[in-house]
Amino acid sequence: MLRGGLRGARWCGGLCSSLCLVGAGRSTLLRRPRALSAAFSSNGGGARSGGAPSAGASDVKPLDGVKILDLTRVLAGPFATMNLGDLGAEVIKVERPGAGDDTRAWGPPFAGTESVYFLSVNRNKKSIAINMKDSKGAKLIRELAAVSDVFVENYVPGKLAEIGLGYEDIQKIAPHIVYCSITGYGQTGPMVQRGGYDSIAAAVSGLMHITGHEDGEPVRAGVAMTDLATGLYTYGAIMAGLLQRYKTGKGLHIDCNLLSSQVACLTHVAANYLNCKIEGKRWGTAHGSIVPYQAFKTKDGYIVVGAGNDQQFVTVCKILNLPEVSKDSRYKTNTLRVENRKELIDILSTRFSEKATIEWLQLFEGSGVPYGPINNMQQVFSDPQVGSHQVFSVLHNGLVMKMDHPTAGRIAVPGPGVRYSDFAMSHPKPPPLVGQHTVEILKGTLGYEDDAIEELLRTGAVAQHEVR
């Protein structure tokens, strides 16, 4: 049975779910993680001043003590919660008993029996397998929400409300909760009941219309950029929600969706249409407003060069030994270069085709002009010294995380793209097996006794994965 002790408690307004027992005009703080309480001044609302790191700061992460109940599947939601887990949050991933997250079946490739796709976006999480269609399972979700700071879900609007897990339901029992919904198209409107996948949202949002060769068919990006952008928006929105709760003492609902995220990321292409009624088009590797800014074919591969201003263009011409081009009145300014794009690109392309990629890389080194080769994955994750000249920083920047998985063995995944001066995102926990932490969470987080857990397991309301 569930141990008592929390009845009559209410939630203090803070970044983390600090339980306060209120009575007789006083409140007693039961839990206040040091990382979060230290991050803000005692008078509320202002960040602590001073640039010097405190003693032992490397052991403290920004979200230490924050508990996230994660009901998301596939990519956008798991990517967001993985990034929050990297910052110290305790992420409890709720999965279906047996099958778990949809992406567990996405393959090949597999590492042993584990989907590499799933492994790539689920580190630093615990998994509890709950049958939410069972009333006892839904009750467990509500109990976990009551002791969590953040509730994240990516169901079609209304589905969770049908089983008493919608925002209004959770808000009643956990007014402190930062409840984040990730959908395909938002909470209202004619498309609200449609499921959302990256490719469809990329098509509807216009991203596919502007992606691909200039005279070719629409193309899907090589990775699910709409999902990933939504995950990053979600990640930031949850952080903002926690800060808002710190200021107001109340939780809130956050609406993230694939369509809005991708339309927001159309930036200048959308602004071109909104302000000048210029329709977006496909440019291949080139740019509609900057010339030259694209890939050029070399003797043995490709090099991408971008001249973002007139001086950089002069430098490009000098490196290519085309001084007459930089002096040509047709190419004096970027506006003129855009107007005379075809003629200029033909001249530059002919010259780039005369040397190998490595030769051009050597010539551009130290020039101040942005440039780089088009690498395959083997080149991206090879030794920091690529070829005999070009140095890349993938390994130097700590972008590969290695972990020992209970069934897949040693695995490696791309790590977070940000580094911090005061703490390191090291020693990641491997992605969990389905229900690997069910009993641990029921006992440690909810205080269930063995007999109650055994009954839940027997009836199929929950499942525990036994690692062999």
Side-chain angles (χ1 to χ4, degrees), residues 174-293:
H176 66 282
I177 205 77
V178 174
Y179 190 113
C180 183
S181 298
I182 305 171
T183 61
Y185 305 98
Q187 298 293 313
T188 59
M191 300 169 70
V192 68
Q193 290 300 311
R194 293 189 190 179
Y197 268 147
D198 172 89
S199 289
I200 292 85
V204 174
S205 69
L207 177 63
M208 278 193 187
H209 175 72
I210 60 173
T211 305
H213 290 297
E214 185 173 357
D215 299 319
E217 298 294 322
V219 172
R220 175 185 176 273
V223 292
M225 289 309 303
T226 302
D227 266 343
L228 295 171
T230 305
L232 290 174
Y233 267 115
T234 300
Y235 164 66
I238 288 172
M239 299 282 272
L242 290 170
L243 288 168
Q244 178 76 352
R245 187 178 75 185
Y246 177 81
K247 293 180 177 182
T248 67
K250 298 184 298 182
L252 74 163
H253 182 252
I254 297 171
D255 170 16
C256 293
N257 66 83
L258 303 182
L259 180 63
S260 295
S261 296
Q262 188 55 69
V263 171
C265 288
L266 293 178
T267 57
H268 69 282
V269 176
N272 289 347
Y273 177 78
L274 292 172
N275 293 282
C276 306
K277 294 298 180 281
I278 297 175
E279 181 57 77
K281 61 174 289 186
R282 292 182 284 282
W283 286 104
T285 66
H287 194 291
S289 300
I290 309 171
V291 175
Y293 191 106

Side-chain angles (χ1 to χ4, degrees), residues 355-438:
K355 295 181 185 292
T357 302
I358 190 64
E359 295 178 83
W360 288 121
L361 296 176
Q362 291 169 343
L363 289 169
F364 273 92
E365 176 65 22
S367 67
V369 175
Y371 72 100
I374 295 180
N375 285 330
N376 60 28
M377 292 302 102
Q378 188 275 331
Q379 290 167 327
V380 170
F381 294 105
S382 63
D383 291 338
Q385 188 76 25
V386 179
S388 61
H389 169 74
Q390 188 68 16
V391 177
F392 293 96
S393 299
V394 168
L395 301 181
H396 176 72
N397 286 345
L399 285 171
V400 177
M401 283 187 160
K402 296 183 179 180
M403 294 158 276
D404 292 314
H405 188 274
T407 61
R410 191 71 166 168
I411 63 170
V413 298
V418 181
R419 302 176 80 185
Y420 301 86
S421 63
D422 281 15
F423 65 93
M425 289 183 281
S426 56
H427 308 296
K429 296 181 179 65
L433 303 171
V434 180
Q436 181 178 342
H437 305 95
T438 297

Side-chain angles (χ1 to χ4, degrees), residues 4-20:
L6 303 184
R7 189 172 298 172
R10 75 168 174 82
W11 294 95
C12 289
L15 284 178
C16 61
S17 51
S18 302
L19 256 181
C20 293

Side-chain angles (χ1 to χ4, degrees), residues 30-48:
L30 293 184
R31 182 165 73 87
R32 185 176 184 179
R34 60 194 179 102
L36 291 174
S37 60
F40 292 85
S41 59
S42 59
N43 59 3
R48 182 179 61 184

